[in-house]
Amino acid sequence: MPTDAQQDKTGKGSSSQSGDELLDAWYKSVSSGGLEDDTQTIGLFGGRAKTPDGYEISNKSRLARVREILGIVRRYDIFHGLTPKSLRKMLEELGPTFVKAGQILSMRSEILPESFCRELTKLRTDVEPMDRETVLSALRAEYDTPIEDIFDAIDDVPLGSASVAQVHKARLITGEMVAIKVQRPHVQETMAQDISIMRSLVRHMDRYVGDTQFLDLQSVIDELWQSFREETDFLVEARNLEEFRRNNADCKFIDCPKPYPKLCTRHVVVMDYIEGIPIDKTAQLVAEGYDLEEIGTKLVDNYTSQMLDDGFFHADPHPGNLIIRGGKIVYIDLGIMGRLSSHDRKAMSDMVEAVAMQNTAGLAEGLMRFSISDTSKVDYAHLLDDLDLIVADYGESDLSDLNIGAFVNSLISMARKNGIELPGTVTMLARALVTLEGVVDEFLPGVSIIEIIRSHMKAHSDPVTFAKGELKRLGREGTNATHGLLGAASQADLAMKMLTRGQLRMNLDIAGTEDPLDDMAHIADRLTMSVIIAGLFIGSSVVYYARIQPVIFGIPVIGFVGYLVAFVLGVWVAYDIIKDSRHRRRKK
């Protein structure tokens, strides 16, 4: 908690305010002053507010939504007592925006602990389906041409109904069977309103929490809104389908629905209707003559190509998004996709190799290359020690026995502890790999996906390309080493000149301490005080046994005073040591 002085300096309020008091104060500020970042208007029939994202929200509906949110969160101790299960239930009660936020956060274990991420994967997404007239009205609003001239028939019963969209089977006027994904009316406005309310609450809490929070909540909310915007822009999904098909055009066993770009809009996406066997229906797959081991191997091998070769991967490969049809593994629902740059793909390859070779230094280098935060202050020795423990826990077993979920979560937790901030794409990929491992566990018992990934890397390594890459790397490292030696010689010459002139200074930096000289001075003070205490005890003992005058009740006064002073100083030194130890533990 910040001290009074810190609060005065930063302008933050007291963090001792209870959760209910914080919520009451927030509601009062919203009721009287709005959401701070809104552009408000007034009128005879009620004012309106415009969020920074351009969506207009009536003041009445906004305050009604705030009251609804407050009524729900008051039933949960959001400041101290949220468990994984209670968080999931609260998000489900808060509505579609918060459910979608929970689904996104479930893939971000650098933000939430693993137990919370696991629980959030259970969030219920089924909602009351839109009626036929609402669906048809939404379609008519998207097309200039009458929908009767586009679709020959649209099924009344939806294939699925979620918080953002609803999917119907249909037939085009040209005869093709398609799936129409129709966005719920006003879903973006609803999400914009909820995000605006979240931002207001976080800003209000920040005044009281200050720098003690472990997470930049404002950045998390901004990232959630960006994810919402991408997921509710169905043109993004249409482009994802086209790019995925291009990347896998030469792969005979991977496919995804073909989009119809001329029929896709920001709120509607039309794609081929895929009818097949869900990948988790293993008994049906065996009955149809499929080889489960072949499916599992091809699935992991292709996913490796997605992340290491293409840098464009499906971020949520759970069984509901994988269908087997005509000897092909078909990915559906490409609304959330991840991307890895060439730099990230190389770092990922090196980390996989480091895990296989139990190379702690290589693993540390890969993590540092992934970090989006400043790594200059990372304690490298401490990082290596932590990685040694992880390698000791997981590296002794065979790759086939490696629990990739536990391993990845250990790596992410360790990175966070050491101040290494990993990008969202990396943690998204980590969660996707854990999900994929769960999918193929029944297909490939006793086989680790790390083993398949490494085999893929070896099989796709062109010896000529590898040799050229190694020569380039050696050339770069040789050039850097030469420049480093020349620079070191120049610095050594400068240091010698400064030494001869008496101008050389030394900066001392000891791991685990902010001010080494101050700490050394403190140690010297304690040693000096200990010597004085020991001298007082010894001197007082000599005086006591020599019976030096004056003596009261048979006790030399000088000896008694010496004992007393030594005792008081000893207690003071012990208290100072205990207090300093507690202070250091709190800082950690």
Side-chain angles (χ1 to χ4, degrees):
M1 294 297 177
T3 64
D4 292 338
Q6 288 172 323
Q7 289 169 357
D8 291 340
K9 184 183 291 186
T10 61
K12 305 283 183 191
S14 171
S15 59
S16 62
Q17 204 170 7
S18 71
D20 283 339
E21 289 172 340
L22 275 173
L23 293 175
D24 287 337
W26 171 61
Y27 179 70
K28 188 178 293 184
S29 70
V30 170
S31 301
S32 60
L35 297 181
E36 299 179 27
D37 61 352
D38 293 340
T39 303
Q40 289 187 288
T41 63
I42 59 173
L44 293 175
F45 301 101
R48 300 188 69 82
K50 184 176 288 187
T51 69
D53 308 293
Y55 296 97
E56 287 193 354
I57 303 168
S58 72
N59 296 334
K60 184 177 179 180
S61 68
R62 183 190 63 219
L63 287 176
R65 180 58 174 154
V66 169
R67 283 194 295 270
E68 182 185 2
I69 290 173
L70 283 176
I72 294 171
V73 299
R74 284 185 191 280
R75 297 202 299 271
Y76 298 86
D77 188 359
I78 64 170
F79 291 96
H80 303 101
L82 275 180
T83 62
K85 192 172 182 179
S86 62
L87 174 62
R88 175 178 60 80
K89 288 183 175 180
M90 185 183 74
L91 293 177
E92 287 175 345
E93 286 189 47
L94 286 170
T97 303
F98 293 86
V99 168
K100 182 58 66 176
Q103 291 173 327
I104 294 171
L105 289 174
S106 70
M107 295 184 287
R108 302 295 301 278
S109 49
E110 89 283 10
I111 293 177
L112 289 178
E114 171 59 18
S115 58
F116 284 81
C117 291
R118 279 199 307 269
E119 187 65 30
L120 291 182
T121 60
K122 304 174 186 176
L123 280 164
R124 295 196 305 269
T125 59
D126 291 339
V127 296
E128 189 70 23
M130 295 184 286
D131 57 60
R132 179 178 175 82
E133 282 307 313
T134 303
V135 173
L136 294 180
S137 297
L139 288 172
R140 288 190 180 100
E142 293 299 314
Y143 300 116
D144 296 329
T145 306
I147 59 173
E148 292 79 10
D149 294 340
I150 302 174
F151 303 104
D152 181 50
I154 300 175
D155 278 4
D156 292 339
V157 180
L159 297 171
S161 181
S163 57
V164 173
Q166 189 162 298
V167 181
H168 285 262
K169 182 180 178 181
R171 184 173 60 245
L172 294 178
I173 202 74
T174 51
E176 295 94 339
M177 298 303 297
V178 296
I180 311 172
K181 187 174 181 179
V182 185
Q183 190 173 123
R184 289 179 176 273
H186 312 299
V187 70
Q188 279 203 343
E189 288 85 344
T190 302
M191 288 183 169
Q193 176 176 264
D194 286 347
I195 287 291
S196 183
I197 291 170
M198 286 186 206
R199 284 173 175 160
S200 172
L201 178 57
V202 167
R203 278 197 306 273
H204 189 80
M205 288 173 56
D206 188 55
R207 299 170 185 168
Y208 301 94
V209 177
D211 296 331
T212 61
Q213 62 187 15
F214 75 98
L215 189 64
D216 183 357
L217 292 175
Q218 193 65 52
S219 296
V220 172
I221 290 175
D222 290 342
E223 191 172 338
L224 285 175
W225 175 239
Q226 184 60 33
S227 297
F228 287 157
R229 295 188 69 171
E230 289 180 2
E231 197 168 348
T232 53
D233 183 355
F234 287 175
L235 289 175
V236 172
E237 181 169 356
R239 288 192 292 268
N240 288 343
L241 288 166
E242 290 184 310
E243 184 173 353
F244 190 87
R245 287 176 65 82
R246 284 197 305 272
N247 291 344
N248 293 277
D250 296 331
C251 186
K252 297 181 179 179
F253 54 85
I254 294 293
D255 202 0
C256 76
K258 181 186 75 173
Y260 292 78
K262 292 183 179 180
L263 300 179
C264 295
T265 71
R266 286 174 56 85
H267 305 112
V268 174
V269 60
V270 180
M271 66 193 100
D272 278 340
Y273 173 69
I274 303 297
E275 190 170 16
I277 306 172
I279 199 169
D280 56 347
K281 304 294 183 183
T282 53
Q284 189 176 351
L285 288 172
V286 172
E288 292 288 331
Y290 286 102
D291 183 342
L292 297 185
E293 184 176 346
E294 182 184 8
I295 291 175
T297 302
K298 286 182 175 179
L299 177 63
V300 177
D301 186 76
N302 172 261
Y303 201 81
T304 306
S305 291
Q306 291 180 38
M307 67 178 184
L308 296 183
D309 300 337
D310 304 329
F312 183 69
F313 61 91
H314 197 291
D316 193 18
H318 66 79
N321 287 336
L322 294 166
I323 293 175
I324 307 300
R325 185 190 70 169
K328 291 187 176 184
I329 302 169
V330 184
Y331 283 86
I332 61 174
D333 192 2
L334 275 68
I336 303 179
M337 302 292 289
R339 291 186 184 276
L340 289 173
S341 65
S342 57
H343 170 271
D344 291 342
R345 297 201 297 273
K346 182 64 171 66
M348 180 65 70
S349 301
D350 291 345
M351 286 182 67
V352 171
E353 191 67 27
V355 171
M357 300 299 294
Q358 300 178 26
N359 181 358
T360 304
L363 204 53
E365 184 182 348
L367 280 174
M368 300 277 275
R369 284 162 63 186
F370 267 130
S371 178
I372 58 176
S373 58
D374 182 16
T375 58
S376 60
K377 295 184 180 180
V378 172
D379 187 341
Y380 194 72
H382 192 269
L383 174 63
L384 287 177
D385 288 341
D386 285 346
L387 284 173
D388 281 336
L389 293 175
I390 292 177
V391 170
D393 286 341
Y394 297 99
E396 295 300 324
S397 58
D398 189 78
L399 277 178
S400 60
D401 301 322
L402 179 64
N403 183 337
I404 190 171
F407 177 73
V408 164
N409 290 322
S410 297
L411 271 181
I412 292 173
S413 299
M414 184 276 307
R416 183 192 298 137
K417 188 180 84 169
N418 284 273
I420 299 174
E421 185 181 353
L422 299 176
T425 305
V426 174
T427 51
M428 184 187 292
L429 175 60
R431 296 296 305 174
L433 286 173
V434 173
T435 302
L436 189 67
E437 184 184 45
V439 172
V440 302
D441 188 53
E442 192 173 351
F443 293 79
L444 300 169
V447 178
S448 169
I449 66 173
I450 289 288
E451 200 167 12
I452 300 176
I453 292 172
R454 194 181 177 210
S455 299
H456 173 95
M457 290 165 55
K458 285 184 176 179
H460 289 74
S461 294
D462 179 10
V464 176
T465 305
F466 176 78
K468 287 181 178 178
E470 285 296 300
L471 285 174
K472 286 182 179 179
R473 185 176 66 83
L474 288 172
R476 282 197 306 269
E477 291 181 355
T479 302
N480 292 336
T482 303
H483 283 296
L485 287 172
L486 293 174
S490 176
Q491 292 294 327
D493 179 60
L494 178 61
M496 290 301 297
K497 289 179 180 178
M498 294 178 68
L499 180 63
T500 55
R501 297 176 182 177
Q503 296 174 332
L504 188 65
R505 295 182 180 181
M506 181 176 66
N507 292 324
L508 182 63
D509 186 13
I510 300 175
T513 178
E514 295 179 358
D515 191 341
L517 292 179
D518 184 63
D519 287 350
M520 291 173 67
H522 200 51
I523 293 170
D525 291 343
R526 283 183 183 169
L527 287 173
T528 303
M529 193 60 68
S530 300
V531 171
I532 292 172
I533 293 169
L536 283 171
F537 268 113
I538 294 171
S540 298
S541 299
V542 171
V543 170
Y544 178 82
Y545 286 107
R547 299 290 176 176
I548 297 175
Q549 298 296 326
V551 176
I552 300 177
F553 302 115
I555 301 175
V557 175
I558 297 175
F560 175 77
V561 171
Y563 279 132
L564 182 62
V565 172
F567 175 76
V568 171
L569 290 176
V571 170
W572 178 78
V573 169
Y575 171 75
D576 186 59
I577 291 172
I578 294 171
K579 183 179 74 172
D580 189 53
S581 177
R582 287 178 178 173
H583 176 69
R584 289 178 183 274
R585 279 201 299 270
R586 278 198 299 270
K587 287 179 68 177
K588 289 180 181 178

